[in-house]
Amino acid sequence: QVQLVESGGGLVQAGGSLRLSCLASGRAFSSYTMGWFRQAPGKEREFVAVNRWSGGSTYYADSVKGRFTISRDDNKNTVYLRMNNLRPEDTAVYYCAAGPPARGYMSTHGYEYWGQGTPVTVSS
């Protein structure tokens, strides 16, 4: 059983920055794939970023590459998403997800555990 709690969302102007946090329970945190997804109104939940496992490969959606950075602190059981140069199209509810390392890490089907989401609104 893994529980995830996101925080750090809010309102920011275009060009600004935010750092989202996801606090995870469970001693297997360092070996889990940790991902970030987002969902805008009327849209499907889409992949944003993933770290396959602690010290492992990191991948980003083309829409955020070069602007967002995923990182993790195993001592705090926390994964972060640093978002720079935010754009209005980044507006969405952002979700943290976790699961054992496996294929499908850019799909919602590749994750077993999900947080409640934290909303991010970017004004123009």
Side-chain angles (χ1 to χ4, degrees), residues 81-93:
L81 184 69
R82 174 70 179 183
M83 306 185 295
N84 294 326
N85 193 23
L86 284 161
R87 305 166 180 170
E89 52 263 41
D90 295 319
T91 295
V93 177

Side-chain angles (χ1 to χ4, degrees), residues 30-108:
S30 63
S31 64
Y32 266 55
T33 295
M34 300 296 300
W36 285 97
F37 290 75
R38 66 187 183 187
Q39 188 168 19
K43 301 289 187 179
E44 293 186 353
R45 194 168 298 184
E46 66 175 355
F47 168 77
V48 175
V50 62
N51 175 247
R52 296 295 306 282
W53 54 81
S54 183
S57 300
T58 299
Y59 300 97
Y60 299 90
D62 288 342
S63 59
V64 307
K65 195 173 299 181
R67 300 187 297 121
F68 290 13
T69 303
I70 187 172
S71 62
R72 62 201 299 168
D73 186 335
D74 292 337
N75 292 329
K76 297 182 179 179
N77 287 350
T78 301
V79 62
Y80 304 95
L81 184 69
R82 174 70 179 183
M83 306 185 295
N84 294 326
N85 193 23
L86 284 161
R87 305 166 180 170
E89 52 263 41
D90 295 319
T91 295
V93 177
Y94 283 71
Y95 296 89
C96 178
R103 293 182 178 181
Y105 51 83
M106 291 189 286
S107 168
T108 58

